Amino acid sequence: MSCGTTWNTFLLNIQSIYPSMTKAEKKVAEFVLQHHRDVRFMSIDDLADACGVSLTSVFRFCKALKLKGYQDFRVQLTLSLSNTPDSPNEVDVEAEMLPGSVTRSDTMNTMVQKVLQSHLSPLYESAVLVDEAALLRASEFIQNSDQVRFFGVGGSSLTAMEGMYKFLHIMPNVYCLADVHMQIMASSTLNEHDVAIFISYSGSSKELVEMAKRAHSANCRTIGITQYSNSPMTKYMDVVLLCGGYEPPLQEGASPSKTAHLFMLDLLFTEVYRSQFGYSKQINQQVTDSISNKIY
């Protein structure tokens, strides 16, 4: 088997264990060997669809390489390509390791413009992806709930906290716990009168998927804010709000993806605010008054 390109240790390792793989795993291996530069930018769902196999088969392929999971696979693949001598795309891979495709040779002005564009692009993409019906439905869930809980793991936990802070200005029963184990505990106490908002770039975090599953099984209304419509998390969502933006494997929790999530949260916040304007304005005034004496 040959993919007609410069080989590196990581790709050679895939080729070496190819004979011992299952039929489904071999499909994944063949695709990776032939399209390894494109695979860096694919989600686990994208790769599974491209190979015509299940998500489990892709995960088992990663395990066959003695890797922790798909994210680890993407990181190792990207690192291996950046270390390949005479690689025709070496500069591109190097840029991928820096925010906004910035290279070390860029001028300060070029760097500023590239990073600016990396934040603007996800916003424009998210605006195009807005599903009015989904946004309205999510807003109605929140307005008719006893409590709203935000969930997020890793970098998304900060976005979840930001969501709680924002919604506390217009409604009282909003919560978010920073510790992932406490979030799991909280997800087990939800019921049909509650709303749970899950924030995740990939929608593949094991902890978050477990929390989403618990919330869904309790008939809690679930809202997902993510970049991928077909992920383990979205299976348990009543509403999915899709965002734009790409997060490279070596930039997990990158600012542009957070920008897209915050934009979607702001749209949801604004829709809830204007839908129950009188009530929201009253709560907002109470909150503003409570902290006004804290400002010099």
Side-chain angles (χ1 to χ4, degrees), residues 5-217:
T5 187
T6 304
W7 285 97
N8 58 40
T9 303
F10 187 75
L11 296 178
L12 286 172
N13 183 40
I14 295 176
Q15 189 179 43
S16 67
I17 65 173
Y18 177 86
S20 64
M21 291 181 176
T22 65
K23 184 177 180 181
E25 291 167 0
K26 286 180 178 178
K27 287 185 178 180
V28 180
E30 290 167 0
F31 188 89
V32 170
L33 291 173
Q34 294 172 14
H35 309 282
H36 46 273
R37 295 198 177 280
D38 296 327
V39 171
R40 292 174 296 149
F41 306 102
M42 300 173 70
S43 70
I44 187 172
D45 303 273
D46 294 334
L47 182 57
D49 289 342
C51 299
V53 300
S54 66
L55 295 177
T56 302
S57 295
V58 177
F59 184 73
R60 286 174 178 167
F61 163 78
C62 297
K63 286 297 184 181
L65 297 174
K66 301 187 184 308
L67 299 174
K68 296 177 182 178
Y70 187 68
Q71 182 66 5
D72 190 19
F73 162 74
R74 290 177 68 199
V75 169
Q76 295 305 320
L77 176 61
T78 300
L79 287 173
S80 71
L81 292 175
S82 68
N83 292 327
T84 301
D86 302 321
S87 170
N89 290 329
E90 185 171 0
V91 174
D92 293 335
V93 177
E94 175 188 282
E96 185 189 340
M97 297 182 184
L98 292 168
S101 298
V102 174
T103 66
R104 287 178 293 178
S105 61
D106 284 337
T107 64
M108 178 68 75
N109 181 62
T110 299
M111 181 271 287
V112 170
Q113 294 304 314
K114 282 186 175 182
V115 173
L116 173 61
Q117 188 59 44
S118 74
H119 282 264
L120 292 177
S121 293
L123 292 177
Y124 289 125
E125 292 170 12
S126 297
V128 171
L129 288 170
V130 169
D131 182 333
E132 293 186 15
L135 192 61
L136 286 171
R137 192 178 181 205
S139 173
E140 291 171 357
F141 283 168
I142 292 172
Q143 293 174 61
N144 297 318
S145 66
D146 285 349
Q147 66 167 325
V148 177
R149 286 192 177 271
F150 285 87
F151 296 89
V153 175
S156 294
S157 67
L158 300 176
T159 310
M161 292 294 290
E162 179 68 22
M164 177 193 69
Y165 176 79
K166 179 178 288 291
F167 275 84
L168 271 176
H169 283 76
I170 62 170
M171 55 196 311
N173 301 323
V174 184
Y175 309 93
C176 182
L177 298 166
D179 182 81
V180 66
H181 294 103
M182 295 180 70
Q183 287 191 52
I184 293 174
M185 292 168 61
S187 69
S188 68
T189 64
L190 296 168
N191 59 51
E192 68 273 16
H193 304 295
D194 303 326
V195 167
I197 301 177
F198 296 88
I199 302 171
S200 173
Y201 171 80
S202 67
S204 300
S205 168
K206 289 182 179 179
E207 294 92 347
L208 202 70
V209 172
E210 176 62 27
M211 289 184 274
K213 185 176 181 180
R214 288 174 182 270
H216 181 75
S217 64

